[in-house]
Amino acid sequence: MITPRTEAELADAIASAAMPLRVIGGGTRSVVPMSNAAVLSVSGLSGITLYEPGSLTLVAQAGTPLAQIEAALAAEGQRLAFEPMDHRGLLGTTGTPTIGGVVAANVSGPRRIQVGAARDFLLGVRFVDGAGRVLKNGGRVMKNVTGYDLVKLMAGSRGRLGVLSEVAFKVLPLPEVSVTLVLQGLDDAAAVRAMSQALASPFEVSGAAHWPGQGTFLRIEGFAGSVAYRAAQLREMLGGEIEESAQRWTEIRDVTPFHAADGDIWRVSVKPSDAPSIVAGAGAEAVLYDWGGGLIWLRMAPGTDLRARTAAYQGHATLVRANADTMAQLPLEQPEPAALAALSSGIRAKFDPRGIFATETDPLRAVAS
Amino acid sequence: MDMPTPNPAILAKKPRLVERLLHVLPADAVIHLEAETRAYECDALTAYRCPPMVAVLPETTQQVSAILRICHEMGVPVVPRGSGTSLAGGALPTADCVILGVARMNAVLETDYENRFIRVQSGRTNLSVTGAVQENDFFYAPDPSSQLACAIAGNIAMNSGGAHCLKYGVTTNNLMGVTMVLMDGTVVEIGGAHLDASGLDLLGVICGSEGQLGVVTEATLRILRKPEGARPVLMGFDSNEVAGECVSDIIKAGLLPVAIEFMDRPCIRATEAFAKAGYPDCEALLIVEVEGSDAEIDEQLEKIVAIARRHNPVELRESKSADESARIWLGRKSAFGAMGQINDYMCLDGTIPVSQLPYVLRRIGEMSKEYGLDVGNVFHAGDGNMHPLILFDANKPGDLELCEAFGADILRLCVDVGGCLTGEHGVGIEKRDLMVNQFDPDDLDIQMAVKDVFDPQWLLNPAKVFPLAASEARRAA
């Protein structure tokens, strides 16, 4: 395993790589590696570079453990508002989640529906491209339109364009109070309608999830007086009971109900009102709706091609967990239309001309050298 | 600002080009007489003017595709244009280009309150997007101050912001999908009514690419329910340092106001003389606005006022009614007009880390004396997006150049303290040559490589964003 300690060492390691690299942070959000890949760990690039609570800004090296960042923020009453999920329970991985991994996979949790995704909070990146060049884009300020926004392009690129060395974030205050309105007895369609109603209210719902059999959950956060008011208004509108447990949202964020069960896990992003009919056609063993219905988690019988079971819809389906055979047979990401696929592979060829960051299921091309 | 010399070979193609465009567009959508192309000679950066060879005004995505296919085949550069309100020269033509204006494409295509989005043609103005949903108490959040006139197409090109971004984000955070035409005429759909990309986030790089990657013809935008109400508090301070500390303390206390606006003394005085809003004559003034129900607003304002009192304000005026709110906002909203009454002005928009505010304001004051040009500062303090307004006399020989040199010094200062050249206006031609102060050659090369993928011949808005010397080889290829 290659473990550079500095950005310059990282650049050297990439420039001199003669075979594909499997880039990992903590290795908790695993991607199928090239069988002949060398492992490059970013965990040696660790530490918070800058944190200004009064500017809502934090800069950290990419290998910094997420827990370290969350602790530093909590000490100042702040947080990463996009609520990144922990994939370890779902994927059965061990290790230490890093901030670079969060960025590389654009990992966001239930609050994404209100405040945006990881990519929306990412202010700047430093990274090394496939040619070994150290590059930067964005910065550490909240409003920045200087040149192209490669920050967004790097977020969610899963290490296919370069290896992140440093990331800068906008952070937000921790709320004083958080409560959940729980609705019982709604079928999927009624639950999505109720969540839409809540999200279309002025009461700033920061989480809207439906867990069949458990209930429909609406989270309200903020100052005590405001939360009490908004929760009461929502309850008047939709009924239900108010609970104060935060544990519920960790379980929804990490898809805890699927952890212990076998089967393939799919993650589908859709227009919320389309969600119930997609679920009805999927024949899943279990389902969890987040993002007001805009995100569907499905547990399917091993080897099932979910995409073949759904009629055309706007959105995309990602295969998150399956056995090796299924992973080899089905594209993990939703195949793109030809024109977009051409743009994406064109960009990858510019950032990674030698195919150093190719993966087994997604080989761009063999390494030239 | 230099622009590339018009290519005589392209100018010679004009008759054939016009003929071909008239095959795919109605006659009134092809503007080619010299007297008429002059209407498109500049945008809101009026110091630079050049009529285009031709201007076209399509009404559909199919027409845009046909126009681009023709220009692509003939090797003619295309400059996309929304409403022409760019302060950075983003829509400035060259004499050998086709201006592709989307102003006639202003329809609302779909409104969906259940899923909280609206799909519009890109020529629709920013404010009329909110106008289309406000009867149902919804709004579109990004609110650039040109919102009455500016088009969504231009908002996407420049990733426009506004006064309320601290809470709601900028265009890129509210854009869900686009229909876009590539330079070769290919129509692509990116994103839509669902969230986040599956593969690479192409939407993220298109937003803010200043019309260099494609022409956006339709956009899916996130709409939000209007808050129940909003009210500001105005506070005056003896020094910029104290006002800056107050902003920082408000944020550290866990408050997230929807806007924190800052004005310095020159701007307060100019504004007061012009709008008579009753502002105190002090060194620095803050307007902090919060949203919610009446009780929620009171809860937040109470906390904000308590913080402000710790900093010994010379004035503290909490709004209790819509009327008082309007009076507090009156001066801020007249600031640009007030400065414009005094003289011509140039408006910059560099962003700095909020912690650097006092230092940067002090340096700007010193530079103002060195250059002999007055400057007033009004800006979005919550996010560090400055708006220095430099006064100059356009009729005085050399004054524009002096003003530009002063502006460039301020923007370099923004970069030096950890900020950037432009927070919401875009690079255009105005800040093109300063890009080397923020980026190394490799940083610029990888951005230009993205354009190579979308527009290999560099025909779309080619002379913008990147220093001409840096892009020369690609433009000439």
Side-chain angles (χ1 to χ4, degrees):
Chain A
M1 182 153 71
I2 312 161
T3 310
R5 295 282 151 195
T6 64
E7 191 179 63
E9 284 180 21
L10 173 66
D12 283 348
I14 292 169
S16 61
M19 60 170 74
L21 296 172
R22 181 190 178 210
V23 182
I24 62 167
T28 66
R29 308 180 206 271
S30 117
V31 175
V32 183
M34 290 291 271
S35 45
N36 63 336
V39 176
L40 186 151
S41 167
V42 188
S43 61
L45 298 172
S46 183
I48 294 171
T49 321
L50 176 146
Y51 176 30
E52 284 184 8
S55 309
L56 298 174
T57 313
L58 179 134
V59 186
Q61 294 192 70
T64 310
L66 181 59
Q68 184 183 336
I69 287 172
E70 288 179 333
L73 290 171
E76 296 288 341
Q78 298 185 337
R79 67 179 174 190
L80 296 173
F82 54 90
E83 205 176 5
M85 82 176 274
D86 184 340
H87 277 84
R88 287 177 292 188
L90 190 66
L91 299 180
T93 51
T94 54
T96 307
T98 63
I99 191 65
V102 168
V103 171
N106 188 29
V107 183
S108 319
R111 206 174 292 103
R112 193 261 173 270
I113 190 65
Q114 183 197 25
V115 299
R119 56 91 94 176
D120 294 296
F121 286 86
L122 188 64
L123 302 176
V125 290
R126 293 179 64 87
F127 65 98
V128 179
D129 73 0
R133 297 187 296 182
V134 177
L135 302 170
K136 63 175 180 297
N137 194 263
R140 51 164 290 207
V141 289
M142 273 180 228
K143 273 165 89 178
N144 185 348
V145 297
T146 321
Y148 292 176
D149 191 349
L150 305 185
V151 173
K152 301 282 184 304
L153 197 58
M154 293 305 291
S157 64
R158 293 191 162 270
R160 285 175 288 201
L161 301 180
V163 181
L164 295 162
S165 53
E166 190 179 78
V167 292
F169 277 101
K170 173 185 178 182
V171 300
L172 285 182
L174 273 168
E176 193 173 272
V177 177
S178 171
V179 303
T180 302
L181 181 67
V182 187
L183 311 178
Q184 294 294 353
L186 300 180
D187 65 23
D188 292 8
V192 170
R193 280 197 303 273
M195 292 191 286
S196 286
Q197 249 186 298
L199 289 164
S201 79
F203 306 122
E204 304 201 340
V205 170
S206 76
H210 176 60
W211 183 344
Q214 295 286 314
T216 308
F217 305 97
L218 300 166
R219 180 172 57 187
I220 307 111
E221 300 175 296
F223 290 114
S226 165
V227 167
Y229 166 77
R230 287 182 282 140
Q233 292 288 314
L234 276 173
R235 191 177 173 196
E236 192 165 301
M237 200 165 97
L238 299 165
E241 296 301 322
I242 289 164
E243 71 172 28
E244 294 187 6
S245 160
Q247 182 60 29
R248 179 88 64 188
W249 291 100
T250 309
E251 290 171 5
I252 292 164
R253 184 193 74 181
D254 296 344
V255 208
T256 306
F258 291 6
H259 288 189
D262 290 335
D264 296 350
I265 308 288
W266 289 80
R267 184 181 182 277
V268 185
S269 175
V270 296
K271 182 164 83 175
S273 60
D274 286 347
S277 65
I278 288 169
V279 167
E285 292 172 350
V287 176
L288 177 67
Y289 297 82
D290 196 354
W291 300 356
L295 175 65
I296 321 167
W297 291 96
L298 301 108
R299 199 181 78 229
M300 308 282 292
T304 317
D305 183 357
L306 172 65
R307 296 185 191 108
R309 291 192 176 190
T310 51
Y313 65 93
Q314 262 194 55
H316 48 83
T318 306
L319 179 58
V320 176
R321 185 186 83 185
N323 62 35
D325 282 352
T326 308
M327 288 283 211
Q329 277 167 20
L330 297 177
L332 304 189
E333 291 177 343
Q334 183 81 33
E336 291 178 298
L340 296 186
L343 292 173
S344 294
S345 62
I347 290 171
R348 288 181 64 189
K350 296 287 185 187
F351 280 67
D352 180 22
R354 296 184 300 151
I356 283 277
F357 305 128
T359 61
E360 188 77 61
T361 52
D362 180 31
L364 182 60
R365 62 169 62 81
V367 173
S369 52
Chain B
M1 306 292 162
D2 293 333
M3 288 299 275
T5 316
N7 183 335
I10 295 173
L11 293 172
K13 293 177 188 174
K14 180 172 175 178
R16 175 72 186 130
L17 175 69
V18 170
E19 188 190 326
R20 289 193 65 182
L21 289 169
L22 284 169
H23 279 295
V24 298
L25 292 168
D28 73 344
V30 182
I31 292 150
H32 56 90
L33 299 176
E34 212 181 306
E36 295 173 0
T37 56
R38 200 161 285 283
Y40 299 90
E41 67 181 0
C42 71
D43 52 25
L45 185 69
T46 52
Y48 297 91
R49 292 161 196 264
C50 173
M53 179 163 64
V54 179
V56 288
L57 300 171
E59 290 178 40
T60 65
T61 299
Q62 289 66 33
Q63 287 178 348
V64 172
S65 170
I67 292 162
L68 290 179
R69 201 172 305 120
I70 291 168
C71 292
H72 184 249
E73 281 171 20
M74 297 182 71
V76 177
V78 173
V79 174
R81 177 181 167 107
S83 298
T85 58
S86 172
L87 291 164
L92 178 72
T94 49
D96 57 3
C97 87
V98 169
I99 282 277
L100 192 163
V102 293
R104 290 185 182 175
M105 302 178 64
N106 54 16
V108 172
L109 303 169
E110 186 181 0
T111 311
D112 184 334
Y113 295 105
E114 190 178 2
N115 296 298
R116 301 169 304 283
F117 71 85
I118 184 170
R119 202 157 56 84
V120 298
Q121 283 189 309
S122 65
R124 193 166 181 91
T125 61
N126 174 293
L127 196 61
S128 73
V129 172
T130 289
V133 295
Q134 68 186 4
E135 66 178 4
N136 287 294
D137 286 332
F138 276 76
F139 73 110
Y140 173 61
D143 59 342
S145 50
S146 57
Q147 70 179 153
L148 184 65
C150 65
I152 291 298
N155 290 182
I156 293 170
M158 295 311 197
N159 188 14
S160 301
H164 294 77
C165 329
L166 186 60
K167 181 167 176 188
Y168 295 114
V170 296
T171 300
T172 191
N173 312 112
N174 292 277
L175 177 67
M176 300 171 72
V178 293
T179 300
M180 186 174 90
V181 187
L182 301 176
M183 187 61 215
D184 66 4
T186 308
V187 178
V188 293
E189 299 278 347
I190 302 176
H194 57 284
L195 296 173
D196 298 339
S198 169
L200 294 181
D201 188 353
L202 299 176
L203 187 63
V205 74
I206 286 161
C207 189
S209 61
E210 305 208 6
Q212 291 197 309
L213 302 186
V215 176
V216 171
T217 56
E218 296 174 13
T220 304
L221 307 169
R222 184 172 76 131
I223 52 172
L224 299 171
R225 179 68 182 265
K226 265 190 200 151
E228 290 181 85
R231 261 189 282 133
V233 54
L234 175 150
M235 38 186 108
F237 296 97
D238 291 343
S239 77
N240 293 324
E241 277 85 352
V242 175
E245 281 165 19
C246 185
V247 170
S248 173
D249 285 351
I250 289 170
I251 288 170
K252 278 195 276 194
L255 291 142
L256 196 64
V258 68
I260 305 180
E261 297 291 298
F262 191 122
M263 290 170 72
D264 70 357
R265 189 190 283 278
C267 200
I268 297 167
R269 286 197 170 159
T271 298
E272 198 48 32
F274 177 68
K276 300 183 179 50
Y279 285 0
D281 185 28
C282 59
E283 207 56 43
L285 187 146
L286 294 178
I287 299 173
V288 183
E289 182 158 272
V290 296
E291 291 179 340
S293 65
D294 256 350
E296 287 176 284
I297 290 172
D298 287 340
E299 185 181 24
Q300 295 173 75
L301 286 184
E302 189 183 321
K303 291 173 198 286
I304 290 169
V305 165
I307 293 165
R309 286 200 199 287
R310 292 208 301 271
H311 295 282
N312 303 315
V314 298
E315 172 112 359
L316 197 54
R317 197 192 304 166
E318 194 181 328
S319 164
K320 294 285 183 197
S321 68
D323 204 43
E324 286 173 28
S325 298
R327 287 200 61 80
I328 288 176
W329 277 111
L330 174 67
R332 168 60 185 90
K333 291 191 171 166
S334 328
F336 283 48
M339 297 297 278
Q341 282 262 309
I342 301 173
N343 218 330
D344 300 299
Y345 68 80
M346 179 172 156
C347 173
L348 304 172
D349 84 313
T351 307
I352 57 168
V354 179
S355 55
Q356 298 291 325
L357 214 55
Y359 170 71
V360 170
L361 289 176
R362 191 164 64 244
R363 280 293 300 136
I364 289 176
E366 288 163 10
M367 285 192 273
S368 168
K369 291 195 184 88
E370 288 160 24
Y371 276 96
L373 293 175
D374 286 332
V375 54
N377 285 287
V378 47
F379 54 91
H380 315 307
D383 52 34
N385 190 192
M386 316 254 316
H387 286 310
L389 301 170
I390 307 173
L391 294 173
F392 71 104
D393 182 352
N395 294 322
K396 186 171 154 193
D399 231 29
L400 172 66
E401 290 72 20
L402 191 65
C403 175
E404 286 181 340
F406 182 12
D409 272 352
I410 292 177
L411 294 182
R412 277 188 281 264
L413 172 65
C414 291
V415 173
D416 289 346
V417 299
C420 66
L421 297 171
T422 170
E424 57 186 2
H425 295 173
V427 177
I429 60 159
E430 190 197 21
K431 282 148 288 202
R432 191 185 61 194
D433 298 322
L434 293 168
M435 289 287 273
V436 294
N437 292 98
Q438 186 168 335
F439 294 112
D440 294 327
D442 282 348
D443 300 330
L444 291 175
D445 183 70
I446 197 74
Q447 293 180 36
M448 291 190 286
V450 171
K451 180 164 172 64
D452 293 342
V453 173
F454 282 82
D455 174 24
Q457 277 112 338
W458 275 64
L459 290 171
L460 267 174
N461 218 5
K464 312 288 168 65
V465 184
F466 304 103
L468 290 182
S471 64
E472 186 173 13
R474 287 174 151 97
R475 285 182 290 110

